[in-house]
Each structure stands twice: as C-alpha cells, then as structure tokens.
Amino acid sequence: MGTMNRSVSSEKYRLLLKWLKENRESKNITMRELGNRINEPHSLIHKIENGDRRLDIYEYFIYYYS
C-alpha cells in the first residue's frame, strides 16, 4: 500500500472540504442550521470548512447525512 497523506493541507482534503461546503450551500443550509441539525455550534462547521479543524470520518457522516 502507498503512503497516505493525512495532512489537512493536502489537495484531496481541500477538495473534500470544498465539496462539503458546496453541497451544504446548494441545499440552502447555513452553517448555523447545519450546526443545529447535528447538535454542534456553527463555529465548528466554519472551522471544518475553512480547514482550521480536521474532520474525522464519524463527523463526516453526521455532517453530510444530516
């Protein structure tokens, strides 16, 4: 197996964050609304979408499927 780049600054990770944000916006869901749906502060959504905080796989499923 190859080496996995786990950095939040990797291009693939940035593309994932861009995709998440675009999908949220395409559904006309604000960061505040998404935060309310997943019982987290909207600042968490902001930090994740801006790459200030890493999104783990569990959070990804909560974030995307809510």
Side-chain angles (χ1 to χ4, degrees), residues 11-26:
E11 181 62 23
K12 289 181 181 179
Y13 187 72
R14 284 193 302 266
L15 288 172
L16 170 65
L17 297 182
K18 183 177 185 259
W19 178 77
L20 285 171
K21 181 177 181 178
E22 288 173 353
N23 275 278
R24 176 183 59 76
E25 291 176 337
S26 74

Side-chain angles (χ1 to χ4, degrees), residues 3 11-12 20 22-23 26-27 34-35 37-39 41-44 52 55-57 61 64 66:
T3 302
E11 181 62 23
K12 289 181 181 179
L20 285 171
E22 288 173 353
N23 275 278
S26 74
K27 296 174 184 173
L34 181 56
R37 288 181 186 195
I38 65 171
N39 267 346
H42 68 279
S43 59
L44 174 68
D52 298 330
L55 175 68
D56 70 27
I57 192 69
F61 279 102
Y64 183 70
S66 53

Side-chain angles (χ1 to χ4, degrees), residues 29-42 45:
I29 299 172
T30 65
M31 288 184 200
R32 190 171 301 276
E33 289 170 327
L34 181 56
N36 287 337
R37 288 181 186 195
I38 65 171
N39 267 346
E40 294 289 348
H42 68 279
I45 309 306

